Amino acid sequence: MKLSDTHVFVGLFLTIFLTGSIIGVGHLSSSDLSNAITLGHAGERGQEAFKNLSLEASSYIVYDISDQKIISEKNSTVQLPLASITKIMTALLAHEITPHEKAITSNPDYQNDIQSQRLKKGEIWSLSAISSYFLVNSSNGAAASVAESFGSDDFVRLMNGEARNLKLEQTFFLNPTGLDESATISGA
């Protein structure tokens, strides 16, 4: 299957976003990206195209899906905090292991989380509805409520198992929200 430039752009964006690298990508113009993508289909010339880009990200990886090879990378194996991207795994796993209409009781016990303050303790939500809520609003209380419905520690173990199944070898979760555990330990 030949991928269009749009597919490559979406893949590039998601790769940069999911590796925590969108911080400081201020010097990447759309014409630079377009040229790099076009040249990216030309093998070695594609690698050269990325050398001239001014990316300020601390880490990134550009992968050619068609040729199944890395075109360009910087600190691609460094573990970085995932923050709220962790909630994607929380939703993915919950929906894989239980019916979408499973009843979830909200328990918004997260201070300084304005999105969780909108939840009322003891409200009953379907898994689908509360997952949509925490994914759209980045609600830590809603994400934690889902994990608590399975047993939080067990759920986090399952999240790490799913990361291994997906070959996300540099990914390790400590909680279902991505909140930092302390000043020196990130939540994922």
Side-chain angles (χ1 to χ4, degrees):
M1 173 173 105
K2 188 70 175 166
L3 297 176
S4 69
D5 288 350
T6 302
H7 288 109
V8 174
F9 173 76
V10 170
L12 174 63
F13 172 78
L14 288 174
T15 300
I16 290 173
F17 183 77
L18 291 174
T19 59
S21 304
I22 62 171
I23 300 167
V25 183
H27 290 75
L28 179 60
S29 73
S30 59
S31 63
D32 286 341
L33 181 60
S34 178
N35 290 337
I37 289 170
T38 302
L39 291 172
H41 294 295
E44 295 301 316
R45 282 186 10 191
Q47 292 177 1
E48 292 298 317
F50 283 95
K51 287 182 182 175
N52 296 325
L53 293 178
S54 176
L55 294 175
E56 295 179 14
S58 60
S59 174
Y60 67 88
I61 185 168
V62 180
Y63 187 79
D64 185 327
I65 297 170
S66 298
D67 292 337
Q68 298 187 359
K69 69 178 186 176
I70 295 171
I71 295 173
S72 183
E73 66 183 289
K74 175 182 174 185
N75 297 325
S76 63
T77 60
V78 172
Q79 282 187 308
L80 299 169
L82 293 177
S84 286
I85 295 173
T86 300
K87 293 178 183 82
I88 295 170
M89 179 63 84
T90 300
L92 173 74
L93 179 63
H95 284 268
E96 283 185 359
I97 63 177
T98 195
H100 297 253
E101 297 311 311
K102 174 185 167 91
I104 306 291
T105 303
S106 65
N107 186 15
D109 288 338
Y110 280 81
Q111 295 178 337
N112 303 322
D113 179 2
I114 196 160
Q115 302 306 333
S116 294
Q117 291 172 5
R118 294 180 183 166
L119 297 174
K120 292 184 177 70
K121 190 170 187 141
E123 283 181 320
I124 306 297
W125 293 63
S126 70
L127 175 61
S128 293
I130 201 165
S131 295
S132 293
Y133 183 77
F134 73 71
L135 288 171
V136 170
N137 295 293
S138 194
S139 170
N140 297 313
S145 295
V146 169
E148 289 169 8
S149 74
F150 296 95
S152 292
D153 290 341
D154 290 337
F155 192 80
V156 171
R157 269 193 291 283
L158 291 171
M159 289 173 68
N160 287 313
E162 185 65 13
R164 299 293 83 69
N165 290 341
L166 294 170
K167 305 213 184 322
L168 301 173
E169 295 159 2
Q170 297 285 5
T171 303
F172 185 78
F173 300 100
L174 297 176
N175 62 54
T177 65
L179 285 174
D180 291 345
E181 293 286 308
S182 71
T184 59
I185 301 173
S186 70

